[in-house]
Amino acid sequence: MRGPDQVERLVAMLARLPGMGRRSARRAALKLLQDPGGLMLPLAQSLRETAEAVRPCRVCGNLDTQDPCRICTDPLREQEVLCVVEGVSDLWALERAHVHRGLYQVMGGVLSALAGVGPEDLRIAALLERVAAGEVREVILALPATVDGATTAHYLTDRLRPTGVAVTQLAQGVPMGGALDVMDDGTLAAALKARRPA
Amino acid sequence: MRGPDQVERLVAMLARLPGMGRRSARRAALKLLQDPGGLMLPLAQSLRETAEAVRPCRVCGNLDTQDPCRICTDPLREQEVLCVVEGVSDLWALERAHVHRGLYQVMGGVLSALAGVGPEDLRIAALLERVAAGEVREVILALPATVDGATTAHYLTDRLRPTGVAVTQLAQGVPMGGALDVMDDGTLAAALKARRPA
């Protein structure tokens, strides 16, 4: 016996969550079982309610309880500035930082030859349509600072060029609080190349 | 906005699982939301079913779908050897290793002055009752090799002495595959002290 079958099934499912291994999933299952009313059943209910309530925004790809989402329908946001992100987690990170007051377009990934992700797998048509509709003045590419992110940024810049919209991307450099002696060479090279007057 | 309220509540609950922080809980919530039918709803159902089906064994404290549990009711197990463990996870670890064919008693913790855990917080009465009932010949203390574990082992040995039962405990030493130069001093001292003929 390794614990009842129900528990083993629960452990297997918990182990599929990011950051969880088999061992931590087992610890999590035991912690849940020790407090069924306080955490286990509320978690079950929260999962069901959230799965039913939250869906992708048909305009930008954000996840929200309303469709189009609260960002797309907010008249106070700048309608002319569109920020392109890889995924919803990046959108939420930018929102938590309160740094972008425009709209978003979630790509649903980045181009990757290794992972077999091509342009047809990303929401590029939606982006081009929104830009073609005319209100967007600037597209900010906020893609990850990786090879795949840079490839995707180049590709999108090419596709957006005919529309005449301004295309910008996030600055690269040393992050806040970053000590130079722990930075990788790529970051140091990018920061030096993009140096500006002090 | 940091994501809809439902998602924030789900993130808060996931963050209470061992091994999960706020950031990994957010990643887990997003992964779940991206596959509601494949993982999120099945997980909700598994949590509810398991919470309803699994309960503590009234005899030994193990968690199982039957009470008394499958170990306590297995006539093929040695009824004379009782293994004392801190928690259910330790019981399951011993069962996975197929190293103990007797019964168990789960203490529900170890004595800890720092954490304020006293003898009245552990299932010591249940242990003494089972031993007093007469069938148990040996009590194996399989408690953690920590200060609190050792304190608890001493305390239980004292309490069990009047019953005349044999009390043993797990050997301490270098674990399988352990390189000496990464072992802590306490392990090396214990292994040397308990050395035996080669």
Side-chain angles (χ1 to χ4, degrees), chain A residues 4 26 30 48 64 70 89, chain B residues 4 30 48 64 70 89 96:
Chain A
R26 194 175 293 284
L30 274 166
R48 205 175 54 245
D64 200 358
R70 275 176 287 167
S89 59
Chain B
L30 275 166
R48 205 175 52 244
D64 200 358
R70 277 176 285 167
S89 60
R96 283 197 298 279

Side-chain angles (χ1 to χ4, degrees), chain B residues 11 14-17 19-26:
Chain B
V11 168
L14 289 171
R16 286 172 57 193
L17 297 179
M20 278 268 184
R22 189 92 198 159
R23 191 177 287 260
S24 48
R26 194 175 292 282

Side-chain angles (χ1 to χ4, degrees), chain A residues 80-102:
Chain A
E80 309 81 28
V81 186
L82 195 58
C83 182
V84 171
V85 291
E86 177 182 9
V88 174
S89 59
D90 303 321
L91 187 163
W92 290 0
L94 288 165
E95 285 299 292
R96 282 198 299 280
H98 299 287
V99 289
H100 174 60
R101 298 306 300 161

